[in-house]
Every structure is written in structure tokens, then in C-alpha cells.
């Protein structure tokens, strides 16, 4: 700018002066605007301000001068000390101290929230100092020595209200019992539980949560209610009179899973307690898919649900005529849609001694056209190929109204349920081995062997169980054999012969136990 005219010069001064003053102001004021901190062996000044009588110090300044490592990801402010870590959340009163070596994590609440000012995180020093001392395992003291910096611009009438997180609930009925998942948008700290007079009490500490809207009771859970969520929250879960046991696990940092078992699981856990209960008296035949769920579809009108049902009914008829002392239970005996969980439930309610789920295989890529039958056992830790098959068979879930029913089966609960199965695994393995031999002798389809996968339909059944893939609907030879009356009869006869052999083996074992 060239100030040739006095007018222009005056104009420039008027416009620029406030800017110049403002620019120099923080520089002048920041000299000496510090609070003296003694933190362990170090001593230094940190930036601070006074807001409504409370002193807030800059954590960014402290961390820099103390030489600490910070992680700012995930909206948190985590400071690393030798053995512990402390996390603050901007504009939030919560403090979490982690002790990784002891796997301990504790949440605390300050009476005032932290604040952001000038891009730095300020914490109320009167409250934060004890948490910082605890995390650092050393003493933190401070004294005033200079003027404070200006508090943040946005002035509120009162200190920001403490944010509370409502708890959410999800209740699901399974073949073995009822699941209650309690979750929040924030990590749920430690909890305690106790059972008295069929009331399961879950105490969640500390505050910071509201009770949300507990769900209506279902299955083994008669009702869910909550008492005051102040400094101490309590959820009361009333259990049905005929519940047998329960588990409470932390499913994730933000959710707790309560499993209440019905009598099906308890019976399954004590195989030798009542021998008469273990007579081979009931077989459950599960024709896969049905109704709106066609299963796999191959060329020449090869429809899986029809083949499954035809083989299931032929097997049932053979059982009834040649083994009349064994009750035959079908999960479906017509072309009807049945949800996966109901199939296991039907099996458990009928106290089945063997669960056979009948299916046909398929591949998306028809040019590879694999063929052959497969026999599947349920077991976690699966092969890649088995997972692919399981995905196809489990895709029936898309037809079900409540798709979330199986969502939690992928984690701990899956392991819980499949552990209940391990008691039967040797029986399932034995039956699979016998059936493989029987198929090899009698059916005109190649053996692809006995495999393992995580089928939901098997998860639900508390008894020895296998899933049979008769052959590939996408393979012309397999498909025409599976569609034929002769093929279906040979499958049914092979399975029946396997049941006969297995029954002898089973009754021998039961006698010995
Ligand atoms: Zn299927």
C-alpha cells in the first residue's frame, strides 16, 4: 500500500488498528499466564484459565512439558504413563484409568466436564489432579503464580449437564433358552450380579447411564425392569420358574449378554444321569428349506426343498415300518417354511436322540460342476470350503422375519452353544462315519467325505446331529439321481441302515456308562 494521500493513510489506520491490537494481545497476555505444577520429579508452568471459580489446566501443555505420549484417536484423549493409561473425553466428565498388565479398567466421573479452548483440552485441575496422580503413580500438586488466560468464548448459563447414555436391550428366544443383550453407545464399566428368589440383579457402576426402556419378558425371562440410575444402577431380570441355569458374559466393552437356559440344555449336560432318558426312542428328521425358501435350484427343475422332503418322508416311512419303537418327528412333513431356530426347538422339545438335517448342495459357478455327497458336523474352527457351504445353507435366514435372531451366534454365544454340543460330538462323528460307509455301499453318488461347519440349524439341536448334503443340484448326474424315485429310495435306505447300525453302537455305549 502506498500512503500518498493522508486520507488513505487514515483509512488504513482505522481499519488495521484493531487487528494489530488484537494480534498483539494474546502475546502480551500469555507471558506469565501459567500455573505452577509439580508432577513427580518435574516442575513447570502450564496454561490455565478460571471459569466460574474453577481452574482448568491445559492437558496439551502438561503432556508436552511432562514429555508424555498421547493418543487422540476415537474422540478420546489418552495419556500413556509407565504402567497406566488415563483417558479423558472432550466436553465430558468421565475419566477412565486402564492398567493393562492387570487387565483392569476403571471409570470415574468428575463433577465438571473437560473443555476445549483454542484447540487444547482443558480439565478442572482440582478433580483431574487425583486421577492424573493415580495414573502416573506419582504426586501432582500446583500453585498459582500468574494471571490466567481467557476462558473459552461460548458462555453458558450453567455448567454443561452430565451426559447420560441410555441402555438398550434385545431379547431373543433360542432352542436352549433366552438371550438378553444389554448394550449402550458407551463402554459399560464393571458390573455385579446376584440371584435371589428367581430375580437376577445386575448392578452397573458407576453412573452415566440411564435405564432406557427395558423390554417385555420372553421365554425364560418373565420380565425386565430397572431401579433408579443415579450413582448406582440396577437391572432386575425375573427368571421363569422353570429356568435351569444362567450365564452373564461381557460380549464387548459396550454390551453384556445374559443367557438363561431352559431345561433342554440341562438335560443335555448330564448324559448319564438318567439312563432311561437316553434310550434311542426318538429321531428327528429335518427336511431343509420349504415353502417360500426353495433352497438350491439346479437345471431341469431340480429344486432342493422338494428333494429334501421326498428323502425325509421316505426315511420316516422306513423308520416307522422297520423300527416302530422309535418315534419319528419331522420338522416339516409338507412344503412349509420353518425358521431355523424352530427346527432345533422342535427337536429339543421332542427329546430327540438323533437329528438329521437333509439338504442338497450347489455351486454358483456352474462351469466347475462339482459332484458328490457330504456329511457335516457342527464344530467351530472351520475350513474355508465349509464356511462357503454354511453361508449358502444359512442364507435361509434372509427369508425369516427376525433376521437378527442369529446375529450373536458368531461370537461368544456361538461358542457357548457349540460347547453344549461337544458332549455329543463323538456320537455325531460316529453317526457321520457310519453314514459315509452306508452311502458308499448304496448310493450312486461320489463321497466327498465328512466335514465340519457352523450350521445354525445344528446349533439349535441339543443332541447328536449331522447335516447331509445329498449331492449337487448344479451337477447334471447328481441332480437327475436326486430327482429320481430310485435315487431318493436309495438315499433313504442308506440313511436308515446307518441309523440301525448307529443305534446298536449307541445303546452299547449307554449301557456301559
Ligand atoms: Zn440346503
Amino acid at each position: 500500500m502506498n500512503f500518498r494521500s493522508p486520507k488513505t493513510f487514515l483509512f488504513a489506520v482505522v481499519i488495521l488498528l484493531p487487528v494489530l491490537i488484537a494480534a498483539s494481545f494474546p502475546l502480551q497476555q500469555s507471558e506469565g499466564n501459567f500455573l505452577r505444577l509439580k508432577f513427580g520429579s518435574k516442575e513447570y508452568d502450564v496454561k490455565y484459565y478460571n471459569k466460574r471459580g474453577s481452574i482448568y489446566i491445559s492437558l496439551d501443555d502438561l503432556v508436552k512439558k511432562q514429555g508424555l505420549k498421547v493418543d487422540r484417536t476415537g474422540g478420546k484423549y489418552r495419556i500413556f504413563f509407565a504402567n497406566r493409561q488415563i483417558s479423558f473425553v472432550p466436553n465430558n466428565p468421565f475419566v477412565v484409568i486402564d492398567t493393562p498388565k492387570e487387565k483392569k479398567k476403571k471409570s470415574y466421573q468428575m463433577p465438571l466436564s473437560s473443555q476445549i479452548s483454542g484447540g487444547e483440552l482443558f480439565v478442572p485441575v482440582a478433580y483431574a489432579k487425583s486421577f492424573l496422580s493415580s495414573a502416573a503413580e506419582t504426586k501432582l500438586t500446583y500453585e498459582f503464580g500468574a494471571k490466567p488466560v481467557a476462558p473459552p468464548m461460548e458462555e453458558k448459563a450453567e455448567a454443561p449437564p452430565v451426559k447420560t447414555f441410555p441402555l438398550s436391550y434385545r431379547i431373543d428366544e433360542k432352542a436352549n433358552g433366552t438371550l438378553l443383550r444389554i448394550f449402550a453407545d458407551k463402554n459399560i464399566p464393571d458390573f455385579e450380579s446376584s440371584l435371589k428368589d428367581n430375580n437376577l440383579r445386575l448392578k452397573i457402576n458407576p453412573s452415566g447411564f440411564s435405564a432406557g426402556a427395558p423390554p417385555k419378558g420372553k421365554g425364560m425371562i418373565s420380565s425386565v425392569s430397572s431401579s433408579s440410575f443415579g450413582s448406582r444402577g440396577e437391572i432386575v431380570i425375573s427368571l421363569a420358574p422353570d429356568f435351569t441355569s444362567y450365564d452373564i458374559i461381557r460380549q464387548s466393552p459396550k454390551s453384556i449378554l445374559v443367557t438363561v437356559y431352559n431345561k433342554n440344555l440341562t438335560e443335555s449336560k448330564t448324559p448319564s444321569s438318567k439312563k432311561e432318558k437316553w434310550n434311542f426312542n426318538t429321531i428327528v428328521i429335518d427336511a431343509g428349506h420349504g415353502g417360500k425358501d426353495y433352497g438350491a435350484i439346479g437345471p431341469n427343475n431340480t429344486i432342493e426343498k422338494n428333494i429334501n422332503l421326498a428323502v425325509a418322508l421316505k426315511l420316516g416311512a422306513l423308520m416307522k415300518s422297520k423300527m416302530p419303537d422309535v418315534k419319528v418327528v419331522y420338522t416339516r412333513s409338507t412344503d412349509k417354511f420353518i425358521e431355523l431356530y424352530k427346527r432345533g426347538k422342535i427337536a429339543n422339545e421332542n427329546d430327540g436322540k438323533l437329528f438329521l438335517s437333509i439338504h442338497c448342495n450347489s455351486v454358483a459357478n456352474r462351469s466347475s460342476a462339482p459332484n458328490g455327497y457330504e456329511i457335516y458336523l457342527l464344530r467351530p474352527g472351520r475350513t474355508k470350503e465349509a464356511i462357503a457351504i454354511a453361508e449358502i445353507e444359512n442364507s435361509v435366514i434372509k427369508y425369516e422375519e427376525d433376521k437378527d435372531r442369529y446375529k450373536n451366534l458368531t461370537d461368544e454365544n456361538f461358542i457357548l452353544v457349540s460347547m453344549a454340543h461337544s458332549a455329543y460330538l463323538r456320537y455325531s462323528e460316529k453317526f457321520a462315519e457310519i453314514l459315509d460307509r452306508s452311502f458308499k455301499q448304496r448310493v450312486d453318488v461320489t463321497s466327498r467325505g465328512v466335514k465340519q461347519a457352523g450350521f445354525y440349524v445344528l446349533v439349535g439341536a441339543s443332541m447328536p446331529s449331522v447335516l447331509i448334503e445329498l449331492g449337487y443340484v448344479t451337477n447334471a448326474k447328481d441332480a437327475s439321481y436326486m430327482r429320481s424315485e430310485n435315487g431318493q429310495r436309495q438315499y433313504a435306505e442308506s440313511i436308515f441302515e446307518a441309523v440301525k447300525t448307529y443305534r446298536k453302537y449307541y445303546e452299547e455305549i449307554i449301557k456301559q456308562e
Side-chain angles (χ1 to χ4, degrees):
M1 202 176 285
N2 188 350
F3 303 124
R4 258 175 294 182
S5 129
K7 225 177 186 177
T8 316
F9 176 74
L10 189 66
F11 173 78
V13 169
V14 169
I15 296 299
L16 291 176
L17 196 59
V19 179
L20 287 168
I21 290 167
S24 63
F25 187 73
L27 257 175
Q28 285 175 353
Q29 206 199 24
S30 66
E31 283 170 21
N33 287 339
F34 294 93
L35 187 75
R36 194 83 186 152
L37 278 197
K38 270 191 197 164
F39 199 4
S41 58
K42 293 190 180 172
E43 192 176 335
Y44 46 86
D45 292 330
V46 286
K47 234 184 273 179
Y48 80 103
Y49 57 74
N50 181 333
K51 191 176 171 191
R52 298 183 183 279
S54 294
I55 304 297
Y56 290 76
I57 57 165
S58 164
L59 269 192
D60 289 83
D61 206 16
L62 179 152
V63 156
K64 198 169 67 195
K65 287 168 178 162
Q66 191 79 15
L68 297 168
K69 203 185 127 203
V70 188
D71 177 11
R72 289 183 179 80
T73 55
K76 283 198 188 118
Y77 195 100
R78 181 189 286 258
I79 306 171
F80 294 80
F81 292 100
N83 298 312
R84 295 177 181 173
Q85 298 157 18
I86 185 166
S87 302
F88 293 90
V89 183
N91 303 313
N92 192 296
F94 293 102
V95 180
V96 179
I97 297 179
D98 275 272
T99 314
K101 271 183 212 154
E102 294 167 30
K103 289 190 173 132
K104 248 168 56 185
K105 194 177 216 176
K106 281 199 160 173
S107 305
Y108 304 92
Q109 187 180 357
M110 300 183 289
L112 294 168
S113 291
S114 65
Q115 299 180 339
I116 297 277
S117 181
E120 294 180 21
L121 185 65
F122 283 76
V123 293
V125 69
Y127 309 110
K129 91 173 171 166
S130 61
F131 299 123
L132 286 163
S133 295
S134 161
E137 298 169 284
T138 184
K139 215 173 162 190
L140 170 65
T141 57
Y142 62 93
E143 60 186 36
F144 300 100
K147 280 180 254 166
V149 297
M153 293 299 283
E154 78 290 18
E155 279 288 331
K156 282 177 192 163
E158 274 167 25
V162 173
K163 193 177 178 194
T164 58
F165 292 80
L167 292 173
S168 301
Y169 306 83
R170 168 162 195 99
I171 191 162
D172 279 306
E173 227 186 319
K174 306 273 179 192
N176 290 338
T178 307
L179 299 177
L180 172 66
R181 196 162 81 92
I182 303 166
F183 54 103
D185 282 339
K186 167 187 143 66
N187 288 1
I188 299 174
D190 291 344
F191 57 90
E192 289 168 24
S193 67
S194 61
L195 179 74
K196 205 187 162 196
D197 303 330
N198 273 20
N199 282 329
L200 182 57
R201 290 170 189 277
L202 208 59
K203 287 193 177 105
I204 295 177
N205 285 317
S207 60
F209 292 95
S210 63
K216 277 197 185 129
K218 209 184 213 181
M220 288 293 107
I221 294 176
S222 309
S223 69
V224 184
S225 61
S226 59
S227 65
S228 71
F229 264 69
S231 57
R232 195 179 191 89
E234 192 176 68
I235 297 165
V236 182
I237 304 159
S238 290
L239 308 183
D242 53 338
F243 92 96
T244 53
S245 63
Y246 70 93
D247 279 314
I248 302 175
I249 57 166
R250 180 177 279 286
Q251 206 181 17
S252 76
K254 291 177 181 172
S255 75
I256 296 169
L257 182 69
V258 181
T259 310
V260 185
Y261 296 103
N262 58 25
K263 63 179 168 53
N264 290 326
L265 186 81
T266 311
E267 282 173 3
S268 74
K269 268 183 175 166
T270 53
S272 55
S273 61
K274 282 185 178 177
K275 279 181 191 169
E276 65 275 21
K277 285 228 71 166
W278 289 88
N279 289 336
F280 192 87
N281 52 12
T282 307
I283 183 168
V284 182
I285 305 174
D286 174 49
H289 312 275
K292 62 186 171 185
D293 171 21
Y294 280 61
I297 298 173
N300 301 319
N301 204 28
T302 310
I303 297 167
E304 183 190 351
K305 65 169 185 175
N306 297 340
I307 296 168
N308 298 343
L309 183 61
V311 173
L313 293 176
K314 283 184 169 68
L315 170 63
L318 274 175
M319 292 286 310
K320 282 173 186 169
S321 71
K322 295 191 177 175
M323 213 187 269
D325 58 328
V326 174
K327 188 171 98 179
V328 174
V329 174
Y330 296 108
T331 54
R332 70 178 179 104
S333 56
T334 57
D335 184 19
K336 187 167 80 177
F337 178 74
I338 312 266
E339 291 155 304
L340 286 180
Y341 88 99
K342 274 196 188 143
R343 296 170 189 258
K345 208 174 169 208
I346 291 168
N348 292 337
E349 281 167 0
N350 283 282
D351 208 7
K353 297 306 184 298
L354 183 63
F355 181 84
L356 303 178
S357 191
I358 301 172
H359 287 258
C360 305
N361 221 334
S362 67
V363 277
N365 178 10
R366 291 190 181 173
S367 64
S368 66
N371 66 307
Y373 68 82
E374 280 160 351
I375 302 161
Y376 280 92
L377 306 166
L378 173 82
R379 185 189 266 177
R382 308 157 289 174
T383 66
K384 213 172 138 192
E385 193 193 359
I387 290 168
I389 304 288
E391 276 169 0
I392 296 169
E393 293 299 358
N394 292 333
S395 68
V396 59
I397 290 163
K398 70 174 181 271
Y399 295 102
E400 296 189 8
E401 277 153 30
D402 186 3
K403 294 177 186 104
D404 287 346
R405 195 187 299 283
Y406 308 99
K407 212 167 65 184
N408 296 330
L409 278 175
T410 47
D411 36 49
E412 287 93 335
N413 189 50
F414 178 86
I415 295 159
L416 275 179
V417 182
S418 53
M419 262 163 53
H421 263 268
S422 60
Y424 301 113
L425 195 60
R426 70 166 168 153
Y427 292 105
S428 304
E429 274 173 344
K430 189 70 188 178
F431 180 78
E433 179 198 311
I434 294 168
L435 181 61
D436 189 32
R437 267 207 311 272
S438 181
F439 270 165
K440 274 179 186 157
Q441 287 167 20
R442 296 177 179 90
V443 299
D444 199 11
V445 175
T446 317
S447 172
R448 296 171 67 89
V450 175
K451 297 180 177 182
Q452 287 161 356
F455 292 110
Y456 294 130
V457 66
L458 298 185
V459 170
S462 291
M463 63 201 68
S465 49
V466 299
L467 185 142
I468 306 161
E469 298 278 8
L470 299 170
Y472 279 80
V473 298
T474 39
N475 177 276
K477 190 173 161 281
D478 278 11
S480 91
Y481 182 74
M482 290 190 294
R483 277 199 318 271
S484 72
E485 186 68 23
N486 180 51
Q488 291 170 1
R489 191 174 41 78
Q490 285 178 346
Y491 277 120
E493 279 169 2
S494 310
I495 301 170
F496 173 73
E497 288 303 321
V499 171
K500 234 165 72 181
T501 309
Y502 169 78
R503 184 185 184 180
K504 275 188 209 135
Y505 159 85
Y506 175 86
E507 285 175 345
E508 214 39 55
I509 297 276
I510 294 301
K511 237 183 271 170
Q512 288 162 18
E513 276 180 355

